Amino acid sequence: MSTALGPVAKVCRAFIGVRNGSTTAQATAALLKLGVELYALDTATRSRIFHPKTFMATGDDQARAIVGSANLTHAGLFNNIELGSDIELDLADASDKAFVDAITDGFDDLINNHPQHCFRILNGRQIVDLMRQGILEDERNPKTQTAFGSGTQGSTTSKPRINLPFKGSPKKTKTKKPKLSTTAPTGGLPASPPIYGQLVWSKPSLPASDLQLNPGHAPGVLRLTQARYKIGGIVIDQTTYFRNQVFSSLSWNYNSVAQKDEAVAPTSLIIAGVYVGDFDMPLSHKPSWAAGQGNYTTGLHWAGATNHIKQPGLVGRTLKLYQPASAMGRYVIEID
């Protein structure tokens, strides 16, 4: 980044989102050290972040804009699968110039009309202060990536939320569901909810057996069955899908006594919209469980989460499994 930005840093402006659980103090300091005119955009709420990925270079006669999904990171610019448009613009053309002006005027508007939320970063002391408030992250002490950040300030601030149009999510028609236990989770509530990665499986109409509610012996296992889940219109092969795709990145070990593969999946659990905690859930995979009948071969053990899911009110609900949103993230299981 320094090699590319260094020669133009003195005439470069950068607008970075903060209070998002991702932007670090170290990256911010690197931009400032190069001499970039640096602005932070703080919406004053962790549920609404500054999220554009736009790179604009303008000259006397021409401009070039790259607009897409890539962050200003090595992974975003080189390795990830991203989508973007590389647009060459002729400033002598009225429509091209209007396009460039619309983008630059939008950022100028943030500076001029939202000074509390779009402010210039001038020195390292200011960066350290923002880090201590939890508005910037510290690469020396990485946290699990979440949509609501991981800093000490939490989701509260005395600063009013940015005064820009906001439309809430459409209200869903609620159907009456069985009442759940109001007993507080043991061990206390986590500090901040997780961010969801890609949905990789769902299981509707949860049976009592998966929730360990059957009388007598409860195996403590969520059966990772086919559940008619489709990818690209094709129903998954549950005998290989979970071991070879969903959980393939985990460290698996073969248990010669039990004759099965074993791993541990770091997982965040959300029940009826409430984030109840993080759990290291054991996984077992044994091809012989299929028994030639297409049965499940991979099971997820509830372990320390058993007390949270062992509720009659969850029977018949839908369980969804999400992959980690980042390399350091956790799987997410949601029951709702």
Side-chain angles (χ1 to χ4, degrees):
M1 181 178 71
S2 59
T3 303
L5 285 180
V8 296
K10 300 299 182 183
V11 292
C12 179
R13 288 196 304 173
F15 293 79
I16 60 172
V18 297
R19 202 193 295 269
N20 53 21
S22 297
T23 305
T24 68
Q26 288 80 359
T28 305
L31 286 172
L32 187 66
K33 185 177 180 180
L34 286 174
V36 172
E37 185 178 329
L38 188 59
Y39 292 87
L41 202 297
D42 177 11
T43 64
T45 170
R46 287 184 170 174
S47 60
R48 186 187 192 188
I49 61 175
F50 180 71
H51 205 243
K53 285 92 172 181
T54 303
F55 306 90
M56 174 77 76
T58 59
D60 294 332
D61 305 313
Q62 294 180 321
R64 184 179 178 186
I66 299 175
V67 182
S69 62
N71 286 316
L72 184 59
T73 62
H74 181 84
L77 297 178
F78 294 98
N79 296 331
N80 290 346
I81 299 172
E82 306 278 0
L83 179 66
S85 298
D86 186 353
I87 309 169
E88 294 184 356
L89 300 146
D90 180 0
L91 298 182
D93 182 277
S95 61
D96 282 8
K97 188 175 187 306
F99 177 84
V100 173
D101 290 344
I103 293 178
T104 55
D105 290 349
F107 287 103
D108 287 338
D109 176 77
L110 290 173
I111 297 172
N112 296 327
N113 297 324
H114 303 278
Q116 271 191 292
H117 303 90
C118 185
F119 52 89
R120 188 169 179 183
I121 295 179
L122 296 170
N123 53 58
R125 185 183 296 274
Q126 187 181 5
I127 292 174
V128 171
D129 184 55
L130 292 171
M131 181 178 67
R132 287 174 175 170
Q133 293 180 56
I135 296 173
L136 289 173
E137 302 301 311
D138 185 356
E139 293 177 14
R140 299 169 300 178
N141 185 26
K143 307 290 196 309
T144 299
Q145 296 295 300
T146 72
F148 297 90
S150 55
T152 56
Q153 185 167 344
S155 59
T156 59
T157 174
S158 59
K159 184 187 297 185
R161 296 186 178 189
I162 192 167
N163 185 23
L164 289 173
F166 179 79
K167 184 176 182 179
S169 301
K171 291 185 178 179
K172 297 181 179 179
T173 302
K174 294 184 178 180
T175 56
K176 192 173 182 179
K177 296 179 180 178
K179 188 175 181 181
L180 299 177
S181 169
T182 57
T183 303
T186 57
L189 287 171
S192 56
I195 185 170
Y196 290 46
Q198 180 181 353
L199 176 68
V200 290
W201 184 63
S202 65
K203 189 172 188 178
S205 303
L206 275 176
S209 56
D210 275 346
L211 297 166
Q212 314 309 302
L213 292 169
N214 281 358
H217 175 63
V221 175
L222 169 67
R223 297 167 296 172
L224 301 179
T225 60
Q226 185 185 76
R228 297 182 180 179
Y229 187 74
K230 296 181 180 180
I231 296 179
I234 300 175
V235 177
I236 62 170
D237 178 358
Q238 78 282 4
T239 63
T240 58
Y241 174 65
F242 296 99
R243 172 63 177 86
N244 298 340
Q245 295 186 49
V246 175
F247 298 110
S248 62
S249 63
L250 298 177
S251 296
W252 289 85
N253 297 298
Y254 182 67
N255 184 329
S256 59
V257 176
Q259 296 185 332
K260 63 182 179 179
D261 291 339
E262 296 176 332
V264 175
T267 306
S268 298
L269 181 60
I270 298 176
I271 297 178
V274 178
Y275 174 31
V276 300
D278 293 337
F279 304 89
D280 290 333
M281 296 186 178
L283 287 162
S284 296
H285 175 79
K286 191 172 185 177
S288 63
W289 285 338
Q293 301 175 19
N295 296 329
Y296 80 98
T297 59
T298 308
L300 184 143
H301 301 257
W302 289 115
T306 301
N307 290 336
H308 297 295
I309 56 93
K310 200 172 182 178
Q311 299 192 49
L314 295 179
V315 175
R317 299 200 181 203
T318 297
L319 180 147
K320 294 181 179 180
L321 173 64
Y322 299 85
Q323 281 190 322
S326 67
M328 298 178 61
R330 306 178 72 88
Y331 291 87
V332 176
I333 289 179
E334 178 184 48
I335 303 176
D336 203 0

